[in-house]
Amino acid sequence: MSNVKPLLPEPLIDRIARRFKVLSEPVRLGLLNVLHREGEMTVQDLVEATGYNQANVSKHLNLMASEGILSRNKEGLFVYYAIQDTTIQGLCLLVSGRIRQEIEQDQKTLRALNENR
């Protein structure tokens, strides 16, 4: 048996998978991108910033809030959403950095193939 620490704690695997599932939707990533850039926003602010319809934005925001990714702050008639999970930025930067590396490698491979024609 190896002394290597597990990548994921066994009791948390289902919860971790649920978090990744929530983050696997492009619309949600787009909303997170805007919230990261602009800070706390209402549903209407996000509708205007993204062009998504209000029902769709509300659905995605509620799901992310229920998973602890976003916070909700009600002020009068408005509900403001903000990124609550401090790991989101690092996770997104890590994954997008890796994707950029893969794209650069793919481009190098294509250039090399084209040069050898």
Side-chain angles (χ1 to χ4, degrees):
M1 190 85 160
S2 173
N3 288 335
V4 176
K5 186 177 177 180
L7 181 62
L8 306 168
E10 287 289 329
L12 300 179
I13 286 178
D14 287 343
R15 191 167 181 178
I16 294 165
R18 193 170 61 240
R19 179 64 53 94
F20 279 119
K21 185 176 180 182
V22 169
L23 295 173
S24 71
E25 168 59 51
V27 171
R28 292 183 203 129
L29 292 176
L31 292 168
L32 287 171
N33 218 22
V34 173
L35 286 168
H36 174 72
R37 185 180 64 238
E38 302 295 330
E40 192 175 63
M41 297 177 80
T42 66
V43 172
Q44 188 57 41
D45 293 335
L46 284 159
V47 166
E48 291 170 10
T50 63
Y52 303 139
N53 72 53
Q54 193 253 338
N56 204 22
V57 169
S58 291
K59 176 186 79 170
H60 290 298
L61 292 174
N62 284 324
L63 179 62
M64 290 190 287
S66 71
E67 286 295 322
I69 295 171
L70 300 180
S71 64
R72 286 187 195 118
N73 180 23
K74 186 167 172 74
E75 291 183 19
L77 299 174
F78 298 99
V79 178
Y80 290 85
Y81 290 87
I83 297 174
Q84 173 177 288
D85 183 341
T86 58
T87 65
I88 292 296
Q89 178 182 356
L91 181 61
C92 290
L93 290 172
L94 184 68
V95 172
S96 62
R98 178 63 186 145
I99 297 295
R100 280 189 195 104
Q101 289 174 344
E102 291 173 5
I103 290 170
E104 288 172 7
Q105 186 57 49
D106 290 347
Q107 289 171 339
K108 287 179 186 176
T109 302
L110 286 173
R111 279 193 298 271
L113 288 171
N114 286 332
E115 289 172 1
N116 291 330
R117 283 187 167 183

